[in-house]
Structure formats: structure tokens, C-alpha cells
């Protein structure tokens, strides 16, 4: 006797109750795997079975924010693996992922790229995440960088045009996108961003004045793979959107910014947040002792802490 005509149900339930539903079809070309990353995942699966936290002293805990990190969600793959037949199936699958993120995350959440190779799915994810956030009593700040998959859906657009589209979606939903930008959080817990153009124009003394009350700084961007000769644009990691020359140019942008700000940011609590690991975008392979490096892309799950240097590369959550 229950009227289910306007009920929001998965396709499985609709079929059980003999209710029609609108089929969901997605572009299969936006779902593909690279053998090298599949191999990395299989080799490092055990790393994902535990969460890792830094063992900070009491003094350090007073200075640091608690940060969660997740990368390479690859929602198109998850939609495929969940055998989604309708839009409600997609919403149901994505809501479960969002619930897990919110249940296990902290006050600052870094999302390290490769959320989706389909822009509309990325946008839906962000809107659903915002709706779920609005139901919480605690404040959460989401900070994104773009991965190579975020560029797949725009074969006729420039990097700048693509970044603008993603930045606008996140801005409308109260979230942040870092693309060669510096975000800082001050002692009043306000978030501010110094954009790329300003970072180039300002000298380090002026930037230092802006950061004088910063408790946390995050230098973020895709990073790209300009220094990677084995897995790069020539292998189609951005599809037709970014060629090898553009990739090298984009890596050098972030490398030059990193080199300019290294001495300044070493005096702060700093996270270097990129989609690709440091060796892909920087000629200097050494890690700075004062920074925490967070990346994704390779699907080689790794957490390294030698007491002075912390490096995270993951396709699932790790905690800083």
C-alpha cells in the first residue's frame, strides 16, 4: 500500500518492486588503467590496512593542525565497479564514499587529485560533499589539487581555462583549489590564499609579512611530470589536453615557485601538496627536512618518517 512512484531508490530496488527508472550511461573512454599504477597498487596493498599518524610531542601538537589526506578516488572506476545503472546508483555509491571521508577525517582534509576524469561527476561529488558538510556541527576545510585525470574531459581547453572551471565549482561550495598557490591558516583559524601571480610579483620579505601570523602553510599544485622520462604526457596521462612540452613548462612553474619559497616556508609549519611526487616536478631529488610532502598519482602507497622528514604518497587516507 506504499506509493513508491517518487521514491529515490537504487536500480536494484526498482527492479525488485518492478518500478521503472532512468538509465545512467557514462563515457567508457574516461575509464582506463595504466599497467604501472596497477602494479604499484598490488605491491603496496598492505600499507592501506592501517592508518598512520605522526607522533608529535605535546609542544608540537599545540602548533600543528590535524590534517587528513586522500587521493586518487577515481570515481568513474568506482561507478563502473559498483555496476551503477541509474543516477540514483551513482549518488548512492558516492554518498558512501563521502560518509567514509567525513567519518574518518579531521578538521583539514587534503584531496590530492584524480577525483574524476568526468567534470560533471567531479561537480556532483563536490555538491554532495557540501550538502553532507552542512549537516555537521564541526567545521571542515577541504583543499584540493587537480590530478592528471581532471584534465581528460577538456581536449580543446588550455590548462588555465580548465583550472578556472574547477576553481569556480570549489569556490561556490566553500572549498579551496590550489594550483601553484600558497594557502595559509592564521592564529584566528582564517584561511587565506596568495595566488600564483602574486607569489611571483611579491618579494619574499612581503610574503613573509603576510605569513607572520600563519600557523600552517600549504604550497599546492598538480606538479605535473616534467622530470619523469618514463611515465608522462607521451603515455597519455592527460589524454589530448596536455602535451609533453606543456607538461614540462607546468612542472617548471611549480619548481621555480618551490625554490623561491623554500627558505621562507622552512620557518613555518609547511606542507608541500602536489598530485605528482617531488621527483616528477623537481630536479633536486632531496626532501627538505622542515617540510611534509604529500602526493598521489603513482598509486604506490607509502608513508615515510625519519624523524625530520615526512613523505606521504597514497591512493587512500593517510593522516598528518
Amino acid at each position: 500500500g506504499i506509493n513508491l512512484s517518487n521514491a529515490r531508490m537504487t536500480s536494484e530496488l526498482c527492479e525488485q518492486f518492478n518500478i521503472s527508472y532512468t538509465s545512467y550511461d557514462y563515457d567508457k573512454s574516461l575509464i582506463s588503467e595504466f599497467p604501472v599504477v596497477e602494479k604499484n597498487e598490488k605491491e603496496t596493498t598492505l600499507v592501506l590496512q592501517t592508518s598512520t599518524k605522526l607522533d608529535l610531542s605535546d609542544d608540537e601538537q599545540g602548533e600543528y593542525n590535524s590534517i587528513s589526506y586522500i587521493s586518487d578516488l577515481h570515481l568513474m572506476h568506482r561507478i563502473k565497479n559498483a555496476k551503477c545503472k541509474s543516477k540514483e546508483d551513482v549518488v548512492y555509491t558516492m554518498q558512501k564514499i563521502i560518509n567514509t571521508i567525513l567519518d574518518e577525517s579531521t578538521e583539514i582534509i587534503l584531496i590530492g587529485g584524480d577525483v574524476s576524469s568526468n567534470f560533471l561527476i567531479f561537480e556532483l561529488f563536490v555538491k554532495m560533499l557540501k550538502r553532507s558538510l552542512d549537516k555537521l556541527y564541526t567545521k571542515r576545510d577541504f583543499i584540493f589539487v587537480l590530478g592528471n585525470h581532471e584534465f581528460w574531459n577538456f581536449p580543446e581547453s588550455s590548462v588555465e581555462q580548465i583550472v578556472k572551471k574547477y576553481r569556480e565549482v570549489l569556490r561556490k561550495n566553500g572549498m579551496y583549489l590550489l594550483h601553484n598557490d600558497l594557502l595559509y591558516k592564521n592564529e584566528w583559524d582564517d584561511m587565506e590564499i596568495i595566488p600564483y601571480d602574486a607569489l611571483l610579483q611579491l618579494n619574499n620579505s612581503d610574503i613573509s609579512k603576510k605569513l607572520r601570523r600563519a600557523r600552517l602553510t600549504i604550497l599546492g599544485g598538480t606538479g605535473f611530470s616534467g622530470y619523469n622520462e618514463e611515465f608522462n604526457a607521451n603515455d597519455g596521462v592527460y589524454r589530448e589536453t596536455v602535451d609533453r612540452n606543456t607538461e614540462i613548462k607546468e612542472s617548471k612553474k611549480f619548481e621555480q615557485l618551490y625554490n623561491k619559497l623554500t627558505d621562507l616556508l622552512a620557518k613555518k609549519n609547511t606542507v608541500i601538496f602536489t598530485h605528482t611526487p617531488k621527483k616528477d616536478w623537481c630536479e633536486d631529488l632531496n626532501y627538505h627536512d622542515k617540510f611534509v610532502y604529500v602526493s598521489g598519482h603513482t598509486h604506490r602507497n607509502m608513508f615515510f618518517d625519519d624523524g625530520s622528514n615526512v613523505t606521504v604518497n597514497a591512493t587512500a587516507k593517510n593522516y598528518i
Side-chain angles (χ1 to χ4, degrees), residues 56-309:
L56 300 177
S57 68
D58 291 339
D59 290 341
E60 287 175 316
Q61 290 195 32
E63 293 293 329
Y64 279 78
N65 294 97
S66 184
I67 303 176
S68 302
Y69 169 65
I70 186 167
S71 182
D72 295 79
L73 284 168
H74 291 289
L75 292 177
M76 295 302 294
H77 290 76
R78 291 174 182 260
I79 289 169
K80 173 189 173 185
N81 294 339
K83 297 180 172 58
C84 295
K85 297 180 182 179
S86 68
K87 183 178 179 180
E88 294 302 331
D89 291 350
V90 174
V91 170
Y92 178 75
T93 298
M94 288 172 57
Q95 189 62 56
K96 288 199 297 183
I97 295 169
I98 289 169
N99 291 346
T100 300
I101 292 172
L102 294 179
D103 286 345
E104 301 188 14
S105 62
T106 53
E107 61 187 282
I108 297 176
I109 302 97
L110 307 181
I111 297 191
D114 280 5
V115 172
S116 174
S117 50
N118 183 314
F119 178 76
L120 294 178
I121 292 296
F122 180 98
E123 186 175 31
L124 177 61
F125 171 78
V126 171
K127 289 179 178 179
M128 289 178 60
L129 180 58
K130 176 62 165 61
R131 284 200 296 268
S132 295
L133 274 174
D134 288 342
K135 298 176 184 178
L136 298 180
Y137 293 104
T138 57
K139 186 175 182 293
R140 306 283 178 91
D141 290 307
F142 276 85
I143 303 164
F144 288 68
V145 296
L146 301 181
N148 54 293
H149 279 254
E150 268 73 53
F151 293 90
W152 280 24
N153 219 186
F154 303 95
E156 304 298 326
S157 301
S158 67
V159 170
E160 290 76 17
Q161 290 170 329
I162 296 168
V163 170
K164 184 178 180 180
K165 287 180 70 71
Y166 283 103
R167 197 186 295 278
E168 184 62 15
V169 167
L170 290 167
R171 185 194 64 78
K172 286 181 179 178
N173 289 278
M175 302 177 197
Y176 304 91
L177 175 64
L178 299 184
H179 188 78
N180 306 335
D181 307 309
L182 181 65
L183 179 146
Y184 62 95
K185 189 172 186 178
N186 62 31
E187 59 188 2
W188 299 285
D189 280 346
D190 295 328
M191 291 280 200
E192 298 287 345
I193 289 180
I194 307 176
Y196 175 65
D197 290 343
L199 290 171
L200 291 183
Q201 294 171 8
L202 294 171
N203 59 45
N204 277 14
S205 177
D206 292 332
I207 297 172
S208 181
K209 290 177 183 177
K210 288 179 174 291
L211 300 179
R212 65 185 181 276
R213 296 186 181 276
R215 298 170 56 214
L216 171 72
T217 58
I218 302 175
L219 179 63
T222 301
F224 294 87
S225 298
Y227 285 98
N228 192 327
E229 298 294 341
E230 298 177 354
F231 188 54
N232 55 46
N234 291 336
D235 299 293
V237 297
Y238 316 91
R239 289 293 172 93
E240 292 83 23
T241 307
V242 178
D243 59 24
R244 181 62 176 152
N245 289 335
T246 303
E247 178 182 50
I248 292 171
K249 176 184 174 183
E250 292 295 330
S251 281
K252 287 189 177 298
K253 283 184 182 179
F254 193 80
E255 179 187 31
Q256 290 166 1
L257 193 61
Y258 171 83
N259 289 337
K260 174 182 177 177
L261 299 176
T262 293
D263 291 341
L264 171 61
L265 296 181
K267 302 172 184 176
K268 301 292 180 179
N269 300 323
T270 298
V271 176
I272 307 300
F273 177 36
T274 55
H275 178 64
T276 55
K278 183 174 185 282
K279 66 181 179 61
D280 282 13
W281 52 262
C282 191
E283 187 175 20
D284 180 7
L285 300 181
N286 296 315
Y287 292 98
H288 197 289
D289 288 345
K290 297 296 184 180
F291 297 155
V292 172
Y293 295 84
V294 177
S295 64
H297 185 56
T298 66
H299 295 214
R300 177 170 289 281
N301 303 291
M302 177 270 291
F303 182 94
F304 173 78
D305 178 9
D306 65 359
S308 61
N309 178 300

